[in-house]
Amino acid sequence: MHQRKADGGIMVTASHNPREYNGLKIRGRSGESIFLGTGLEKIRAIASRGKTRRAKMLGNIEFNNSYREKYISFFSKHISIKRRIRVAIDAGGGSTALFLPQILSLFPNIEYTPLFFEPDGSFKKHPPNPLLPESQKWIKAELGRGKYNFGVAFDGDGDRVMFFDEKANLLDSQFVFLPIALKALEKKRKAVIVLPVDTSRAVRRAIEEHGGRVELSRRGYVFLQTAMRKFASPISVERSGHYFFKDFSYDDSGIFAFLAFAEYVSGSPLPVSKIVEPDIQFASTGELNVTVRDKARALADARNRYRRAPNVRVGEIDGVTIEFPDWWFNIRASNTEPVVRLVIEADTEELLREKRAEIEKLLGSP
């Protein structure tokens, strides 16, 4: 789109879902995502009227394979693998299987074992969501069979990737992101790094200690992209395995994230299990789904319970965030389920257990 200065773009994808969920991702003139609130509601209104009219000027279809070659060569301009590393890669039969062999041929220092590199739109081997335990069995088994630096598993359309260390442990995306972000700060020390509101304090503090400035954003593709463009943020991440890059038109790319992490690993003497271990340790629940009768009431109860407490900071960028010196939590309503998403982090495991019980009691459940 950027090279052709196109007025828009459309991708047919089911994302990390089976093929019967195929839909459209729509992009605007500058490559920004078109969602509800940024133009999708206008498209929906036009479609719902059920009336069509013939355009004054018809377009044409052009098949241009040169974009494939430009896409493949793009990565070699941004990534350098310093020493030989060995990785296991599960493409899951998804779209990355169409590109990975050619891309990896540009990086002879990456020795890899391919899993499910044959495109398969029916995903017979395993579901296209790498967060599901049943999708992780093959990559974990392969990592257990040989000496690898790390492993990766991509989702169906390649915009998401999950990482596994040399011991086959699933890694938290925000701690895979951290060394990549710190490397970006070496190039621009005072850069602004946009992060979702539920990002660990360990990540936020490490970025600030290395000269970066953290700006928090609502979770979600369109909100992170918008904030990144506003602050020219070089990189961002979501816990679900989406990594966003300024150099990739502020878009997410599982392949770019994999190669950027591989570059870091190739320049470090440490095993991956140590690379992703933060210097500052906090106890965390990860993201919890808590069933509630009334989502709006649950958020209000959480806000009202803590907002007048000493030494508290209250944020409402995305749901409600309550921060104390030694613990914090974020609670937000699900758009599709009768649950709230809850993340709690504390200085100690004991404090975490105490606060989790306290908040869950406050929220109640049917």
Side-chain angles (χ1 to χ4, degrees), residues 175 178 200 202-203 206 273-282:
F175 295 120
L178 182 56
S200 170
V203 174
S273 56
K274 293 297 182 183
I275 288 174
V276 299
E277 188 175 78
D279 294 332
I280 308 167
Q281 299 286 343
F282 293 101

Side-chain angles (χ1 to χ4, degrees), residues 54 108 133 316:
R54 188 174 180 83
E316 297 188 60

Side-chain angles (χ1 to χ4, degrees), residues 8-22:
I10 295 175
M11 179 195 299
V12 179
T13 176
S15 188
H16 56 277
N17 297 306
R19 61 182 177 180
E20 56 266 28
Y21 289 90
N22 263 337

Side-chain angles (χ1 to χ4, degrees), residues 60-78:
N60 64 297
I61 297 174
E62 174 188 330
F63 294 94
N64 191 332
N65 283 329
S66 69
Y67 293 118
R68 176 189 176 93
E69 299 307 318
K70 290 174 183 176
Y71 172 74
I72 290 169
S73 65
F74 163 85
F75 297 105
S76 64
K77 298 173 184 176
H78 292 272

